[in-house]
């Protein structure tokens, strides 16, 4: 049940009373008068008061009093504290509805981004596996191609080394042999020398130069076989496949804001995202959804709190809330100004040229 009250100390009830009785009751208080109207709604209370005043139109003064009283009740309900409270409740309701809408949009974005991240993680894993498979395939092909070439180069090197060693031995014997063995030693040396030259020519013709000074056999074999291995068609194909797979895997690791922005554009609108691209790139949809939900809950709770108070108490709460919000805004402005002052004071004044142009977006 709701009641409409006017200040006073003399109390009356309007139910079943005539206009004259109400008039008398409302004018008999020494200092103040209180009118209690019992009704479901303010509109019903106002109508009860008007009906009571209309039950007895004794004179012109009573009619004027009725009209004035009706206007007073109308002002109390429509333009007084109740209107202020109702306006505040309407604003809080709008705030809650807007926050709930934003929370729903951010939650939709969060769900879409969760799905996007899962898909991107799957694509990264698939690309990494493909790159690993291509790398293993490349090594298998390299081993297959390298095996016969390595064997051939090693055989050619061994043949030359054996012939060169035999030549050196024949030369040493020729130097130390006596007169009776000179002819035979000379023939052996010439034969060994020819065989060594022959082996060296074949080595050079097939594999290039012999081993360099202080170059081991394994290093020489690797050096002379690598160009042939790399030029083999099987190696060319396997290398191309490995490079393509590695590039694809690397691309999945590169930061790409466009999939996120496309999701935001679908939910919030293309123009909104285009005009605030940096904000959306750095957005945290889960946190934004939680913040908007919290704002909506706070607004709904404030509505319930205001409805539980009398109009006077509700207005006092509204004024207190607005004063706290204003104080917080002023404190934020002061903190910002102080921060800017500190930054300005930290700059070396002798390096500041007021006529020097700063960086331009057009450069």
């Amino acid at each position: 049940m709701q009641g409409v009250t006017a200040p006073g100390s003399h109390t009356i009830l309007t139910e079943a009373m005539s206009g004259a009785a109400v008039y008398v009751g409302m004018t008999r208080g020494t200092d103040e008068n209180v009118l209690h109207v019992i009704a479901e709604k303010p509109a019903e209370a106002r109508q009860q008061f008007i009906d009571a005043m209309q039950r007895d139109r004794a004179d012109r003064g009573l009619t004027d009093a009725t009209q004035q009283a009706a206007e007073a009740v109308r002002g109390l309900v429509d333009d007084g504290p109740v209107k202020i409270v109702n306006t505040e409740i309407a604003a809080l309701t709008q705030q809650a509805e807007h926050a709930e809408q934003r929370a729903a949009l951010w939650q939709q974005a969060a769900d879409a981004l969760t799905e996007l991240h899962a898909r991107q993680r799957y694509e990264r894993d698939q690309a990494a596996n493909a790159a690993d498979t291509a790398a293993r395939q490349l090594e298998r092909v390299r081993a297959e191609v390298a095996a016969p070439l390595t064997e051939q180069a090693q055989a050619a090197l061994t043949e030359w080394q054996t012939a060169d060693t035999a030549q050196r031995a024949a030369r040493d014997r020729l130097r130390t042999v006596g007169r009776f063995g000179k002819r035979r030693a000379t023939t052996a040396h010439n034969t060994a020398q020819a065989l060594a030259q022959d082996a060296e020519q074949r080595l050079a013709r097939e594999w290039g130069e012999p081993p360099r000074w202080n170059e081991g056999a394994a290093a020489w074999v690797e050096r002379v076989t690598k160009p042939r291995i790399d030029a083999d068609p099987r190696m060319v194909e396997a290398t191309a496949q490995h490079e393509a797979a590695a590039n694809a895997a690397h691309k999945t690791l590169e930061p790409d804001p466009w999939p996120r922005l496309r999701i935001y554009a679908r939910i919030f609108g293309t123009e909104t995202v285009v005009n605030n691209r940096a904000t959306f790139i750095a957005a945290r949809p889960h946190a934004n959804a939680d913040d908007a939900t919290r704002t909506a809950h706070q607004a709904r709770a404030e509505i319930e709190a205001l409805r539980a108070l009398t109009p006077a108490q509700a207005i006092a709460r509204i004024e207190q809330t607005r004063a706290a919000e204003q104080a917080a805004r002023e404190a934020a402005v002061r903190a910002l100004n102080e921060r800017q002052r500190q930054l300005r004071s930290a700059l070396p004044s002798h390096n500041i040229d007021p006529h020097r142009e700063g960086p331009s977006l057009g450069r």
Side-chain angles (χ1 to χ4, degrees):
M1 305 292 284
Q2 299 181 5
V4 178
T5 64
S9 59
H10 186 77
T11 303
I12 64 170
L13 297 175
T14 61
E15 186 176 3
M17 294 183 65
S18 66
V22 174
Y23 179 78
V24 171
M26 289 293 292
T27 59
R28 289 300 180 268
T30 303
D31 298 319
E32 297 176 321
N33 295 279
V34 177
L35 171 64
H36 290 280
V37 181
I38 308 302
E40 290 288 340
K41 300 178 181 179
E44 294 180 6
R46 178 177 58 194
Q47 189 59 45
Q48 283 189 32
F49 181 79
I50 295 173
D51 292 343
M53 296 300 294
Q54 290 177 342
R55 290 193 185 102
D56 183 8
R57 296 179 176 270
D59 54 26
R60 178 70 175 175
L62 185 57
T63 300
D64 292 340
T66 301
Q67 294 175 350
Q68 294 174 4
E71 291 298 326
V73 173
R74 185 178 298 109
L76 180 64
V77 175
D78 294 339
D79 301 322
V82 174
K83 181 178 180 181
I84 296 174
V85 175
N86 287 338
T87 301
E88 181 68 13
I89 290 176
L92 288 170
T93 301
Q94 184 178 9
Q95 178 184 355
E97 292 174 350
H98 177 72
E100 288 164 353
Q101 293 172 359
R102 298 293 294 180
L105 292 176
W106 280 116
Q107 187 59 51
Q108 183 181 351
D111 294 341
L113 288 175
T114 299
E115 182 180 350
L116 171 66
H117 295 159
R119 185 169 63 253
Q120 290 176 333
R121 184 164 53 250
Y122 173 78
E123 292 173 353
R124 285 195 299 269
D125 292 342
Q126 292 295 104
N129 291 335
D132 291 341
T133 301
R136 289 192 296 270
Q137 175 64 14
L138 177 62
E139 292 305 315
R140 283 195 294 269
V141 172
R142 184 185 301 278
E144 293 174 1
V145 174
L149 293 175
T150 300
E151 183 179 354
Q152 296 168 15
Q154 184 65 54
L157 178 63
T158 300
E159 181 185 5
W160 171 75
Q161 288 175 333
T162 301
D164 186 66
T165 301
Q167 177 194 4
R168 293 174 185 276
R171 183 187 60 194
D172 293 340
R173 282 195 301 272
L174 179 61
R175 290 175 179 174
T176 60
V177 70
R179 182 175 57 177
F180 294 103
K182 196 77 168 176
R183 178 179 294 180
R184 180 179 295 179
T186 299
T187 301
H189 174 260
N190 291 338
T191 301
Q193 188 177 36
L195 291 175
Q197 290 175 349
D198 221 25
E200 184 176 1
Q201 288 175 357
R202 284 196 303 273
L203 183 71
R205 184 172 59 251
E206 295 177 7
W207 303 103
E209 62 181 1
R212 299 165 184 169
W213 179 83
N214 206 27
E215 183 178 26
W220 177 86
V221 170
E222 181 180 0
R223 177 169 63 85
V224 299
T225 57
K226 186 178 185 305
R228 295 191 183 186
I229 295 172
D230 293 340
D232 188 280
R234 292 169 294 175
M235 275 295 297
V236 172
E237 181 181 1
T239 301
Q241 292 176 351
H242 174 253
E243 290 178 353
N247 290 336
H250 180 72
K251 188 175 182 180
T252 61
L253 299 176
E254 295 177 350
D256 183 8
W258 292 109
R260 292 171 57 91
L261 292 178
R262 282 191 286 270
I263 289 176
Y264 288 138
R266 186 177 69 246
I267 296 173
F268 295 95
T270 301
E271 184 177 357
T272 300
V273 175
V274 169
N275 294 334
N276 303 275
R277 188 172 69 174
T279 300
F280 279 99
I281 288 177
R284 299 181 301 163
H286 287 285
N288 291 347
D290 292 341
D291 291 343
T293 300
R294 187 161 44 251
T295 298
H297 288 168
Q298 291 173 350
R300 297 290 186 189
E302 185 65 15
I303 290 172
E304 294 302 318
L306 291 176
R307 285 176 173 168
L309 301 174
T310 64
Q313 292 171 334
I315 289 177
R317 182 183 179 92
I318 292 170
E319 292 175 348
Q320 182 180 6
T321 301
R322 290 177 179 173
E325 292 174 350
Q326 180 63 26
R329 285 192 295 268
E330 292 175 353
V333 170
R334 287 194 299 270
L336 178 60
N337 292 337
E338 176 62 20
R339 178 58 178 166
Q340 292 176 344
R341 187 193 65 78
Q342 293 176 356
L343 292 175
R344 286 194 298 269
S345 63
L347 292 175
S349 58
H350 61 275
N351 288 334
I352 299 177
D353 183 357
H355 301 291
R356 182 179 179 181
E357 295 184 356
S360 171
L361 292 177
R363 296 182 180 177

